[in-house]
């Protein structure tokens, strides 16, 4: 076998096929080993796995097929011509997750700090194009220091090509970004363009300008994690959908998410067998949801009672927790659930909750996932901050998303549904296919107390006993306009159902709607509220 004077450069070319094959094996070993044990030890000291270890955890065993393993950059200057490692710091290819094809690229932080150069970007562009052509999910394992400064504007152009492909693939194939290290500057925009962002606490960060720049410009002192760590983006900014304590758990959850998503926008989500009977009665719901509309409860318990085996994947769990967005299965079929959370802010809609739910509704519609909306909403959150922050504009995003959705849509009012929030949360008037309510429902412009204060203000003020008069008028309003069958009598909901029968009703309704077909007006694209 030939000796190697620099990575992949044989001293003398072998003369026969066996010699050439041995040479190939030596070169491939160099590519697989990467930059050496010292770099690997440094990676582990940071609490991180190598790129190949991450791919092995993500994909089914033995399924990874690598593309572009022997690519090397052609840049010169600043010492680059003497440092031309194989893979150029990114591993690209495809494999399977539970038998279904996915495409993946993983930055190798051991090589140039995972920084993106021209060749590095070209490899990512190719695998993105292949994913789109094959109609399969794209997963990026991000651990890079941004653009390769030594290559100048060529590196920046590489990012532009990634962004363009992210936008082109949006709504066509699922795109999942897994943040396993730093992601700074313009590099952060690619994950922001994808459908889901996963982060690992302590080791992954995302920010446009780092702590040093923040300090220089504003004088503020902050750590990398304090500025752009997993919990910051999961709880405050909403950039991160899922945050975990370690890489193994994170990648296992990525696999679980993939199992709930279709391969592309032309196929339905994959069904899964279940032993949970479709006709199972949910007697526990009688006690889980108090009839008194002012008493809080945890909507997660309701969802767990309804869905197959009590299992669901909550998206953006820590951000805008007054609304729940989750993927689950009913009779083995994937559904997207949007639900008020009375346990937090009484389940009101605010700016963040509206944005969170709107994006989730649009995602489900793009990927043929039926929507189930569970309402217990007292309205939009009042306040100067909300109005000045654009609650009208942001609330309209959720309204637009529902109105634009053509997948099967079912809404269920558990207790209260007041005002504009009732309309926005997939009411019949904006196109829900089926609308149901429990006997505990109250559907109205506002609560009885507020309504009585407005309608009977003068009568109450003129009464000898304003308190007693007000109480009587509140009860009168409730009996006349807010009784459980008022909306059903007027055809604004399709049926009032037994809470214990909810699971069976939802499953039967979704089965009927599975062949639903609806077309939007011909147009280049809509202009949603921003």
């Amino acid at each position: 076998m030939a000796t190697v004077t620099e990575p992949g450069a044989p001293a003398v070319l072998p003369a026969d096929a066996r010699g050439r094959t041995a040479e190939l094996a030596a070169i491939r070993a160099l590519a697989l080993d990467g930059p050496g044990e010292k770099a690997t030890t440094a990676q582990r000291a940071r609490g991180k796995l190598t790129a190949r270890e991450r791919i092995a955890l993500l994909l089914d065993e033995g399924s990874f097929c690598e593309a572009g393993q022997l690519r090397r950059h052609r840049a010169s200057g600043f010492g680059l011509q003497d440092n031309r490692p194989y893979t150029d710091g990114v591993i690209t290819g495809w494999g399977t997750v539970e038998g279904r094809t996915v495409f993946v690229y993983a930055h190798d932080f051991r090589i140039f700090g995972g920084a993106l150069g021209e060749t590095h970007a070209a490899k990512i562009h190719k695998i993105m194009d292949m994913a789109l052509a094959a109609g399969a999910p794209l997963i990026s394992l991000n651990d890079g220091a941004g653009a390769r400064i030594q290559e100048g504007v060529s590196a920046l152009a590489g990012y532009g090509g990634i962004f363009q492909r992210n936008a082109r693939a949006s709504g066509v194939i699922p795109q999942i970004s897994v943040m396993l290290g730093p992601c700074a500057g313009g590099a952060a925009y690619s994950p922001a363009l994808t459908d889901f962002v996963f982060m690992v606490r302590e080791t992954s960060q995302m920010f446009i300008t780092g702590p040093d720049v923040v300090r220089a410009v504003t004088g503020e002192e902050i750590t990398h994690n304090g500025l752009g760590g997993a919990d910051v983006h999961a709880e405050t900014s909403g950039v991160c959908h899922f945050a975990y304590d370690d890489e193994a758990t994170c990648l296992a959850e990525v696999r679980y998410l993939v199992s709930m998503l279709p391969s592309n926008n032309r196929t339905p989500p994959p069904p899964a067998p279940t032993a949970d009977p479709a006709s199972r009665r949910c007697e526990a719901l009688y006690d889980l949801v108090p009839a008194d509309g002012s008493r809080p409860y945890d909507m997660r318990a309701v969802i767990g009672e309804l869905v197959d085996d009590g299992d669901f994947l909550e998206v953006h769990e820590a951000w805008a927790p007054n609304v729940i967005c989750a993927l689950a299965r009913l009779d083995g079929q994937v559904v997207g659930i949007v639900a008020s959370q009375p346990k937090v802010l009484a389940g009101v809609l605010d700016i963040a909750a509206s944005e969170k739910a709107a994006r989730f509704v649009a995602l489900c519609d793009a990927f043929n996932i039926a929507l189930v909306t569970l309402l217990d909403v007292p309205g939009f959150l009042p306040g100067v901050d909300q109005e000045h922050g654009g609650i009208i504009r942001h609330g309209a995003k959720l309204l637009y998303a529902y109105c634009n959705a053509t997948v099967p849509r079912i809404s269920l009012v558990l207790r209260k549904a007041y005002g504009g929030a009732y309309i926005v949360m997939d009411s019949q008037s904006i196109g829900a296919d089926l609308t149901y309510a429990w006997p505990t429902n109250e559907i109205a412009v506002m609560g009885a107390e507020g309504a009585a204060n407005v309608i009977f203000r003068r009568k109450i003020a003129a009464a000898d006993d304003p308190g007693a008069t007000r109480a009587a008028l509140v009860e009168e309003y409730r009996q006349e306009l807010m009784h459980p069958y008022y909306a059903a009598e007027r055809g604004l909901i399709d049926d009032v159902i037994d809470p214990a029968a909810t699971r069976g009703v939802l499953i039967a309704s979704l089965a009927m709607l599975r062949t639903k077909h609806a077309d939007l007006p011909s147009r280049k694209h809509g202009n949603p509220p921003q």
Side-chain angles (χ1 to χ4, degrees):
M1 185 174 66
T3 59
V4 179
T5 56
E6 69 164 335
V12 180
L13 287 176
D16 58 9
R18 287 184 176 83
R20 291 289 178 90
T21 303
E23 176 197 39
L24 172 62
I27 293 173
R28 198 173 299 285
L30 285 171
L32 291 171
D33 287 344
E37 190 59 35
K38 182 178 179 181
T40 300
T41 300
Q43 178 81 346
R44 298 200 195 289
R46 299 183 186 99
K48 301 193 293 185
L49 301 174
T50 67
R52 294 190 185 278
E53 289 170 337
R54 291 164 174 167
I55 291 172
L57 284 174
L58 173 66
L59 302 178
D60 297 338
E61 186 175 356
S63 69
F64 183 56
C65 299
E66 188 170 353
Q69 184 185 75
L70 304 184
R71 292 229 27 194
R72 304 162 73 194
H73 73 75
R74 299 172 292 180
S76 60
F78 306 102
L80 285 178
Q81 66 276 10
D82 301 320
N83 186 10
R84 301 178 60 231
Y86 290 109
T87 74
D88 200 43
V90 65
I91 300 168
T92 59
W94 64 92
T96 60
V97 172
E98 296 188 4
R100 297 168 59 222
T101 298
V102 300
F103 288 78
V104 61
Y105 67 86
H107 299 129
D108 190 341
F109 193 81
R110 302 173 304 162
I111 298 175
F112 299 128
L116 180 138
E118 184 179 18
T119 297
H120 183 120
K123 289 181 64 176
I124 294 175
H125 295 168
K126 180 176 177 64
I127 214 67
M128 294 179 78
D129 290 341
M130 291 176 68
L132 189 58
L138 174 71
I139 303 171
S140 62
L141 306 181
N142 298 271
D143 186 7
R148 197 173 298 170
I149 298 172
Q150 302 94 318
E151 294 194 31
V153 72
S154 296
L156 293 178
Y159 273 122
I162 293 173
F163 302 158
Q164 182 190 47
R165 287 166 172 83
N166 285 138
R168 189 184 303 156
S170 181
V172 181
I173 57 173
Q175 299 181 84
I176 300 171
S177 298
V178 189
M179 315 311 297
L180 300 166
C183 185
Y189 283 115
S190 177
L193 289 168
T194 61
D195 299 305
F196 298 98
V197 175
F198 287 73
M199 294 186 74
V200 176
R201 294 183 178 94
E202 302 303 325
T203 58
S204 63
Q205 302 91 29
M206 297 173 67
F207 37 70
I208 299 300
T209 56
D212 293 340
V213 176
V214 170
R215 185 186 309 110
V217 174
T218 70
E220 297 173 283
E221 293 284 346
I222 194 165
T223 65
H224 285 80
N225 279 319
L227 182 63
D231 288 326
V232 168
H233 286 310
E235 299 173 12
T236 305
S237 73
V239 170
C240 168
H241 299 78
F242 306 97
Y244 298 100
D245 290 332
D246 60 86
E247 293 189 17
T249 302
C250 180
L251 293 169
E253 290 301 301
V254 174
R255 286 177 57 88
Y256 179 45
L257 173 61
V258 170
S259 75
M260 305 280 279
L261 299 174
S263 293
N264 55 62
N265 65 341
R266 300 182 300 278
T267 59
T274 179
D276 196 348
S279 59
R280 171 173 59 81
R281 285 182 60 81
C282 306
E283 304 285 344
L285 293 176
Y286 293 131
D287 300 315
L288 283 175
V289 181
D292 181 356
S294 64
R295 290 178 57 193
Y297 62 93
D298 191 349
M299 185 66 83
R300 290 189 184 93
V302 175
I303 296 171
E305 186 67 23
L306 292 174
V307 302
D308 292 354
D309 306 308
D311 192 22
F312 60 94
L313 178 63
E314 188 170 350
V315 179
H316 267 145
E317 179 179 355
W319 182 56
N322 41 319
V323 69
I324 295 172
C325 298
L327 293 170
R329 283 192 168 89
L330 284 168
D331 199 30
Q333 302 292 330
V334 177
V335 296
I337 297 175
V338 178
S340 311
Q341 174 54 298
K343 188 177 177 181
V344 181
L345 295 175
V348 298
L349 287 175
D350 60 4
I351 289 172
S354 298
E355 287 197 338
K356 170 180 170 177
R359 184 95 195 287
F360 184 75
V361 168
L363 172 99
C364 290
D365 185 51
F367 292 115
N368 308 310
I369 299 173
L371 285 161
V372 174
T373 304
L374 306 178
L375 288 84
D376 192 346
V377 58
F380 283 93
L381 182 65
V384 174
D385 288 346
Q386 289 290 308
E387 296 295 344
H388 288 186
I391 185 65
I392 297 172
R393 177 167 50 89
H394 294 287
K397 294 178 184 179
L398 180 54
L399 180 61
Y400 185 96
Y402 270 124
C403 290
N404 212 41
T406 60
V407 293
R409 292 157 49 190
I410 300 174
S411 65
L412 169 67
V413 180
L414 281 65
R415 294 194 309 187
K416 56 189 174 296
Y418 295 159
Y422 155 65
I423 299 295
V424 167
M425 291 281 281
D426 208 19
S427 62
Q428 188 179 103
S429 59
I430 65 168
D433 297 297
L434 290 168
T435 53
Y436 298 112
W438 285 359
T440 47
N441 82 82
E442 288 185 352
I443 303 173
V445 175
M446 62 177 67
E449 289 81 3
N453 286 339
V454 173
I455 298 171
F456 306 115
R457 180 177 64 254
R458 293 180 180 176
K459 188 173 184 179
I460 292 171
D464 294 334
D465 186 348
T469 301
R470 181 180 180 280
L473 292 172
V474 166
E475 186 58 28
E476 179 185 343
Y477 184 86
R478 181 176 283 114
Q479 292 296 327
E480 289 292 326
L481 295 178
M482 294 179 64
H483 63 78
Y485 311 104
Y486 185 86
E489 289 170 358
R490 285 152 182 78
L492 299 175
I493 60 171
D494 292 297
D495 201 5
V496 179
I497 63 174
D498 176 359
T502 301
R503 173 176 163 84
V505 170
L506 292 177
I507 288 173
S509 300
L510 289 167
M512 178 275 294
L513 290 167
R514 198 160 296 140
T515 55
K516 173 188 174 182
H517 176 75
D519 290 318
L520 291 171
S522 177
R523 59 186 174 187
K524 187 174 182 180
H525 58 75
N527 186 23
Q530 296 297 324

